[in-house]
Amino acid sequence: MLYDKNQDPKQDEDSGSGDSFSFLKETIKPKTISREKIFMQLLRVAIYGVIIGMFACCSFYALKPWAEEVFREDPQKVTIPEDAEESDLSETQTQEEVKPSETIDAPVLDSDSYQVMMESLFATAEEARKGIVSVHVKSGSSDQASEWMGTNKSEAGVTGVIAADNGQELLIFTDSSICQGTDSWEVVFADGSCCPATFKVVDQNRKIAVLSIVRSSIPEETWGKIRVAELGNSNIIAQGDPMIAIGNLYGYDNGLGYGVVSSTASMLTFSDGDCRVISTDIPIEKNGSGVLVNQEGAIIGIIRQGTAKGASEDGISVTANALAVSDMKSVMELMLNGEKVPYAGIYGVTVTAAAAQEQELPEGLYVTAIDADSPAMAAGIQNGDIIQAIDGKPISGFAAYEKAMLECRTGTEIKIDGQRRGAAGYVDIQFTLTVGSWE
């Protein structure tokens, strides 16, 4: 502060005692930020963002399998509707109004017509192949697996069907022979892609099994080339119907054959049930496996190893015989939901009302044989017994018995009412049977 020598000192004292003073005032101006500095800051932020993003992505992919395993929802229940019997369809058709037929000129068939027909069948087969796979045993997984591959003399394994998708897994229905002595499988889809499969459940009584493939292990590009197979109604198949056979028919994957149904009269009987056999004139190898497909592309039969009769050791010498898929749907539904198939070990024949009157037998299921060491043997059931009820449900024959058994659950006890011949004729008898499973 400057001092004025002409100023009165007293006045200066008075001014010093006042409330107002003079101070130096300073203004701070911000530094100018150059464009280069702004660019470097943005670049630094971008680099940090990329690093954090990469770390987050790596963490996501590393933790994704664990998270899916821990937090996944329960699998959806698989349901397979039962098909109508041929007799039911006939009754429905007779009730419909029958219109008089019109005279239609028969089409002229030539070589071009045959070519069009074969192209149509091949297009149907190609679409059906999307639901069919090949199941292989991983080589070197076990000594028994190597023995299986040597016995079957086929590098292609067996044919499998994509039977269901429960939201977590694709479920593969296949021949149980592929499960012997190994726990390591590989499934080849129609587009050639491969995925590991794990064991789900097996029924050695009917010699069928279900394997599963985790959905997340299937490549994205494969999803557009596969689908769950359509299961048709084998109850309406008749002699002479055209058939397409697909699968490991000749010792390699994706074999293809055409033919017709030669017979539907045969039955394959096993413990606690039976199944119709669809016979064709399509030649296959002795150990060939596959499926039969109708003209709509639906699977109507499972060509299972051991079903074909009269096989020899010389390659293609038998024809394709298949288990009718309609007779297998109840069992398939149980297995696709991870449930064991109930097993008692009983073989039998139906005693109809006419047979009962003629042979003087009670109506029901006449027991013809019992498996050794089976639940039926443990319960005391013998050859010649006649089963008439299971847990109070009437049993009119073998078909009713099989249906009642499939409604049971393994490990539970059931009451079987029947009759046994004694010195004075048939007497009532009751058994307590613990339902088992044949794995």
Side-chain angles (χ1 to χ4, degrees), residues 110-356:
D110 52 17
S111 59
D112 291 337
S113 302
Y114 179 80
Q115 182 66 26
V116 171
M117 178 184 69
M118 297 307 295
E119 289 176 355
S120 175
L121 288 174
F122 183 73
T124 301
E126 284 293 279
E127 182 62 26
R129 273 178 171 155
K130 294 180 179 180
I132 300 170
V133 299
S134 295
V135 183
H136 299 252
V137 173
K138 285 190 176 180
S139 59
S141 57
S142 69
D143 293 338
Q144 290 184 350
S146 300
E147 182 180 351
W148 182 92
M149 296 175 71
T151 302
N152 284 267
K153 299 178 181 178
S154 172
E155 297 179 356
V158 298
T159 302
V161 176
I162 304 177
D165 180 355
N166 64 11
Q168 295 181 4
E169 308 160 309
L170 282 187
L171 301 172
I172 309 300
F173 187 80
T174 188
D175 193 283
S176 65
S177 63
I178 198 73
C179 300
Q180 297 175 3
T182 184
D183 58 358
S184 182
W185 302 272
E186 188 175 57
V187 171
V188 182
F189 292 104
D191 66 341
S193 60
C194 302
C195 286
T198 56
F199 174 80
K200 194 81 172 178
V201 66
V202 67
D203 178 23
Q204 294 294 2
N205 184 22
R206 294 168 178 81
K207 302 187 186 307
I208 51 180
V210 172
L211 304 178
S212 65
I213 303 173
V214 179
R215 297 179 95 259
S216 59
S217 67
I218 301 174
E220 289 292 336
E221 58 272 14
T222 299
W223 281 107
K225 302 174 184 177
I226 63 175
R227 64 177 176 85
V228 174
E230 178 186 354
L231 303 179
N233 185 357
S234 59
N235 293 328
I236 60 176
I237 297 300
Q239 191 177 39
D241 286 350
M243 285 292 116
I244 304 171
I246 305 173
N248 180 25
L249 309 172
Y250 313 113
Y252 49 81
D253 294 347
N254 289 323
L256 179 65
Y258 302 112
V260 297
V261 174
S262 58
S263 174
T264 59
S266 299
M267 298 290 293
L268 181 64
T269 302
F270 35 77
S271 299
D272 309 316
D274 54 20
C275 182
R276 282 168 290 182
V277 176
I278 302 173
S279 301
T280 73
D281 63 349
I282 304 173
I284 64 170
E285 205 174 47
K286 175 185 176 182
N287 291 319
S289 64
V291 298
L292 289 182
V293 177
N294 61 17
Q295 289 181 289
E296 286 72 42
I299 294 175
I300 54 90
I302 306 295
I303 303 172
R304 199 199 70 187
Q305 295 187 14
T307 304
K309 307 297 182 182
S312 72
E313 298 294 336
D314 302 324
I316 303 173
S317 58
V318 296
T319 55
N321 294 337
L323 301 178
V325 73
S326 293
D327 293 349
M328 303 290 290
K329 286 184 176 180
S330 297
V331 176
M332 290 176 66
E333 183 172 308
L334 285 174
M335 298 179 68
L336 292 173
N337 286 294
E339 299 182 26
K340 299 177 181 179
V341 180
Y343 167 70
I346 295 175
Y347 296 82
V349 294
T350 301
V351 181
T352 62

